[in-house]
Structure formats: structure tokens, C-alpha cells
Amino acid sequence: MNPLTLTGLCRALLRRELTVMLRSRAELANPLFFFLMVCALFPLGLGPSPQLLATMAPGILWIVALLSVLMASDSLFRSDFEDGTLEQVLLSPVSLYLIVLIKTLGHWLLTGLPLTLLAPLLALMLQMPSSGLVVLVLSLAAGSLVLSFIAAIGAALTVGLKRGGVLLSLLVLPLFVPVLIFGSAAVQRAVQGMDSVSPLALLAAMALLSLALAPLAIAGALRVSLDQ
Amino acid sequence: MWGWFHKWSSPRWFYQLSGRLLPWLAVLTALTLVAGVAWGLLFVPPDYKQGNSFRIIYIHVPAAAVAMAGYMVMAVAGAISLIWRIKLADMVMKCCAPIGAALTFLALVTGAIWGKPTWGTWWVWDARITSVLVLFFLYVGVLALYEAFDNKEAAGRACAILALVGAVNIPVIYWSVEWWYSLHQPASISFTGESSIHPSMLRPLILTIIGFYSFFAVSLLLFVRNEILNRERNTRWVRELILADSKV
Amino acid sequence: MQSLLDISGLGFERDGRQLVSGLSFAVKPGEVLRIEGPNGAGKTSLLRVLAGLYSGYQGDIRFNDELLTSRCRPLLQQQSLFLGHSPAIKMTLTARENLEWLAALQCRQVSAGILEAALAQVGLTGYEDVPCRQMSAGQQRRVALARLFLAPLSLWMLDEPFTALDKTAVLELEGWINDFAAQGGAVVLTTHHDLTTVTPLQSIVLEGSR
């Protein structure tokens, strides 16, 4: 029986989060297929004109990626709530801040990051000029991290409620506004051949801020959800 | 200091104090609103560009300003109730949400009505009106979350967290919307509200802004008093109050 | 003997009903305390208050003479174990993975030997690397109970621990409770089950709201 070091603890927490998610493959694949399918609906709704699609592609990709992150986040704490894991997490002497930070990061690694990597493929399908691809990936990588952490706050607030899904989107969609603005603007500027360093830098700053601050709100929200 | 703080945060004491304060605030509200609106509608000369339609700013601008301030009041009250577990702060936070949402809605509607003669369309994705729209969504989120909880104590704390998260985000949201608007600046719309306003238009506006602030205070007090009576309905002082009322 | 858990003037309400008020009791090392009462009397809530999951209570709770606040209770967290209705077992993980992670939550690293011994104690030898999804409800419950043997503890808080257990398992668990008490551990539990072999047994009765 040895006391656990901090790195050992972090590793154990992260490994478990990834293992649980990797073993339920359907849940892993669903947001990706959602991303693919909704993007495929846009040409059907707007018409197949390549020029039209090319101008709208950055916005479409960003909005659909945002919705996919939102969908994936609904289940972030739900199974842990239902099987009693969250009770044990709250009773643990380990800081709740650290636990939710690692849990949300692990969740992003298997939802936000795959979405980011899938995005260039969908960008080509939507006729987006290839000059924007690098910025698309960079902006989604930082932006989806922010989105994951914001959505995690909403998921933690609604985890104890019977009907969480739609409510979650009401709570977090307004908070997604800045990320959407900077993310899609970065891609649009890159497509137009303009410099997109400043929106990318802003997204990176927001990612760091949400890494530092969001776990506080998530931890508080989980306490409220269980303490009733 | 702490004794004062605790006394002030007792619902019963607040109920009595607010009862004495209410008439004065109500009179202030009526005077400033009637004077400001009459001045603005009847005595201010028409705008050389917009004619008489600009006069809606005497409702639109104060509603938007107070709606914004209301969110901050809600967030501060939420923080106080989370940190010190003061019931009164929880009630204030809860009561801010419907008032603020209504004012935000009023600002949106008056903005749309103003837009029709000014821009020829009911809705323009202008930076300011978009920010107000997002603020409305934030209020709706708080109201929806509160309703979703069966346990109202937990509902209060959950909403306090959400209001705080929203308050941290509001500057970022406003700033990002401004940035977004400057990026897509349509050349045809160059009207900006307060910056080019003439002093003769400004004075009644200040009056109506004061009027809306005190209107917010009056309705908040009324909402909170109602909430106090509801939550403390099983205590002795509320029973005595009701008995005294029914004898009159 | 000094009491391990000392409760005085405890009261709490749920959904606007005062369930418990002015409750005082103490649990000494070696004692088994059973919380009794009809459905809805607040048995589970009382256990959750003691464990630190429910903070809306009045009164004092002391553990080892240390006053507990709803947030700050490191000693209790390290020396006690709370098993709730839901056993905190992830279906997709194996017994070993589940237990290793739950031990990590207590800041402990368990060696393979201790882990296998704990599983052997609950009769799950050979199930170390079987995903819990493939086990029966009773076996899953046993995995959760194996946590009782992973680390030295001084207090068990068990909420309906006999749920989903068969007759032999019930007797076994009663035996473990007896052994633990004999070694100086204290147990607080709720159950509808007749604890036939657990002795000596203290009990407090919650009457529910009138």
C-alpha cells in the first residue's frame, strides 16, 4: 500500500477516462458521424454551387463542429452520475479541480481532437480552398478545447436532471459565441489570403483561460448537482 | 460590520426596510419616467436625419442599459449567496432573472421597431443589437435552469454558478461581437447611437435612464418581498403579518 | 473508550420536510450501528450527511474529536469508506481496473498482491481481468465490496449493502462486519435485512416527519 504521487494520480485518472471511452466505440464514433452527416446536408439544402459552398464552408464547418462537441458533452458526466462514480469522486481527498480538469481533457482528446482531424476532409467536400486548411485545423484544435470546457460546465449543471439534453444547449450556446466568431473568422481570413494570427492567438488565449478557470465552475456545479 | 451584515441579510429585516423604501422609490420612478418621456417626446426637436423615429431611444437605451446592469446584479448576488450562503442574496439573484429578461426583450422589440424607419428593415445584425440578443439568451438559460430543478435550493446555487460564468463571459462576448461587426462592416449603416447625440436629446435620456434604474429597483424589491413571504410562510412573523393584514 | 464518530444536535430537511432534528449519538471503535426507520425517514440522507455528500444540515459531526465541515474532512475521507446504492463500478472496466482507479481516488496505489487478496476475500478469484459487464449483479456488488479490504480503514458507511447479494453472500458480509468490528473498526449501515449474526448491534430509529 503506497501513497500515490501526483503524476501517478494524473496518469491513473487519464488512463481510466480514455479506457472507458475507448471501450464504448459507438459513443466515440457518433459525434464524428454527426459532423459528417450534417455537413453533407448543407449542399442538399443550399444547392451544389461550388462558389456558394466555398464562401460558406468556414462557417458551416465551425457551426457543425460546435454542435458535435455539444452533443458529445451531454454524456460527459451522466454515466458517472448514474453508477455512483461521482459520489466516490466527491468523497475523494483528491482535489475535485484536478479530477474534472483531467476528465474533461481526456474527453476532448477523444471527441474534440478527432473532430479537428476530420475537418479538413469535410472542408474539401464543401469546396473550401485549401489555403484555409491549416488554419481550420489550428482554430478547431484550440476552439474545440474551449467548447469542451464550456460545455462541461453545462453538463455538470444538468447532470442530475432527468431531461438534460435541450437544456444543456440553452445554457451553453450563448457562451459559445466568441469561440464561433474568432474561429470562423480565422478560417475566413485564411481563405481570403489574409493574416489570421490574431484570431488564432485569441483562441489560444481563451483555451488557456478555460483550462484554468472552467474546472472551478465544473467542480462547483458537480457539487451542486450531487448535494441535494 | 458583520453584525450589520447579518442583520441586513435577514429576510424579515429586509422586508420591513424595503416596505419603508418602496413608496419613495415608486415616486422617484414615476416622476423621472413621466418627466423624461414627456420631455423627450414633446419638447426635444426632431433629429435632422431620422425625424421623430429617434425618440424611441428614450425607451430602448435605458432598457438595454438596465438589462445589462441587471445581469451584473444577478451575478454579484449569486456570488454572495454561493460564498456566504445568504438566503436573501439567493432570492435577489432569482428575482433579477425575470425582470432582466423582460427588459432585454423590451430592448430587442424597441430596437426592431426603431430599425424599421431607420434602416428599412426590422432586424439588422448590428453589433449592439446582437449583443443584446446574446444577453437575452443568457437570461433565458438562467430561467430555464431554475425551472428544471425540483429542489429550489439547488436550483439557486446552480443558477448562481451559471450567472457567474455568464458574467465572466459577457465582456468577451461583447468584445467579440464588436470585433465581428467591424470585420463585416456594411457600408450603408453608419448610424451610431450615443456618440453623436446632441445635448438637448441627452438630458431627457439621462432622466429616463434614472427612471429605468429605479423601476428596476422597485420591481426587484416587489419580487423579493413576494419571494420572502413565500419562503418564510411557515414562520411566526409572516403569520402575524398576514393576521394583522386580514384584520384591517 | 473515545468515540470515533460523535454526532450532536444533528438536523436536516429534505424537500421542505424536517426529517431529522436534534439527533445525537456516538459510534465507538468496535461498534456496529444500524440506522432504522420506515421508507422516507431519511436513513440514506443521514448516511450521506455523515459521508459528506449532503451539506444542508445543522449540528456538529466530529470524527476522532475533529469537527467536520461539509468541505474539509481529510481524515474522514482517508479512513472511511462510503458505499452507496450505486456501487461506482464501471461496466466496461475489469475488476482490477475498477479497483485500481477507486484506490487512486483515495491517493493509494495498490499492489497486485493486495488487489488479488481483496478479490479472493470476496470470492472473486479468477475474475480479476473479467469486464464487470460480464458479471452478475451480485458479483458486481462483490467487486465494490472488495474495496473494504484494499486499505486499512477505521469506519465503514454502508447504504443497503445486502442488495443483490444471495444468502451465502449475505452471511459472508455479516461475517466481515463482525470481523471488522472485532478488530476495532466501526460500521454504520442502513438495511431492511435482519442482521441475524451481527453482534453486538446498536441501532437508532428515525421516525420520519410527523
Side-chain angles (χ1 to χ4, degrees), chain B residues 73-86:
Chain B
V73 173
M74 182 168 78
V76 170
I80 293 174
S81 91
L82 275 182
I83 298 168
W84 289 293
R85 296 258 178 142
I86 291 174

Side-chain angles (χ1 to χ4, degrees), chain A residues 1-4 9 13 16 23 79-80 82-85 87-88 91-94 99 223 226-228, chain C residues 14 48 51 53-55 71 77 82 86 88 90 92-93 97 101 104-105 107-109 114 147 150:
Chain A
M1 187 68 43
N2 306 311
L4 203 54
L9 174 69
L13 290 171
R16 189 240 189 200
R23 288 200 187 150
S79 76
D80 280 357
E82 280 161 3
D83 65 19
T85 303
E87 278 179 2
Q88 297 298 330
L91 292 178
S92 152
V94 181
I99 296 177
R223 285 217 166 85
L226 266 93
D227 186 0
Q228 45 173 312
Chain C
R14 295 301 305 259
R48 288 170 65 88
L53 283 169
Y54 184 50
S55 62
R71 283 287 176 78
Q77 283 170 337
F82 169 81
S86 322
K90 273 269 173 276
T92 46
L93 298 183
E97 286 165 334
W101 184 74
L105 269 189
C107 295
R108 291 189 181 107
Q109 194 168 20
I114 291 178
R147 294 178 62 201
L150 279 183

Side-chain angles (χ1 to χ4, degrees), chain B residues 3 7 39 62 106 149 151 189 193 215 217 239:
Chain B
K7 189 180 169 197
W39 188 356
L106 181 67
F149 275 85
N151 179 336
I189 304 158
F215 168 75
R239 290 217 175 118

Side-chain angles (χ1 to χ4, degrees), chain A residues 174-175 178, chain B residues 67-72 74-75 131 134-136 138-139 163-177:
Chain A
L175 302 173
Chain B
M68 179 69 232
Y71 198 92
M72 289 305 156
M74 182 168 78
S131 300
V134 178
L135 182 65
F136 181 66
L138 288 173
Y139 271 122
L164 275 177
V165 172
V168 170
N169 269 279
I170 278 180
V172 184
I173 293 174
Y174 272 47
W175 185 69
S176 69
V177 171

Side-chain angles (χ1 to χ4, degrees), chain B residues 1 66 74 93 125 144 163 171 174 177 190 209:
Chain B
M1 161 74 193
V66 177
M74 182 168 78
M93 185 215 70
W125 288 97
Y174 272 47
V177 171
S190 58
I209 288 179

